[in-house]
Amino acid sequence: MPDPEPPAPTPEPGHHYPDLPETKALGAWRDAAAHCQACDLWKNATQTVFGEGRRTANVVFVGEQPGDKEDIAGKPFVGPAGRVLDEALEAAGIDRDTV
């Protein structure tokens, strides 16, 4: 017997999730994320920092939340945390543009 589906998460009180797309297309999910108000992060943000990279990437880095530099640029890991990530990747001999 297959495991039952876990319960869907619920937004914080007074917040709401956007309508989620039925498709796996990243553009549709990017648009849904741009309209998400499930927590307070959207209140002070100027835009969604959805992410970027190749579909065929072997590694995906997920940050806790975008900082002010990421919010302004609309790109992940461009602020202080990005510099730490770059230093760690360089120390490990990994080119950020190839992962």
Side-chain angles (χ1 to χ4, degrees):
M1 189 157 114
D3 290 335
E5 289 283 326
T10 56
E12 294 177 3
H15 295 77
H16 69 276
Y17 286 135
D19 291 331
L20 299 178
E22 297 288 327
T23 178
K24 292 182 180 181
L26 287 178
W29 285 91
R30 181 184 308 271
D31 185 55
H35 296 94
C36 186
Q37 295 180 358
C39 69
D40 286 336
L41 288 177
W42 67 275
K43 288 184 177 181
N44 295 317
T46 63
Q47 61 186 317
T48 301
V49 179
F50 187 77
E52 59 186 27
R54 294 186 323 270
R55 254 182 203 278
T56 58
N58 293 316
V59 177
V60 176
F61 295 97
V62 179
E64 182 179 358
Q65 68 186 45
D68 60 332
K69 303 293 186 208
E70 288 80 9
D71 181 54
I72 291 166
K75 298 174 68 132
F77 299 110
V78 295
R83 283 192 294 280
V84 171
L85 174 61
D86 287 341
E87 291 169 5
L89 290 172
E90 183 178 340
I94 300 170
D95 180 3
R96 179 178 180 167
D97 295 325
T98 62
V99 291

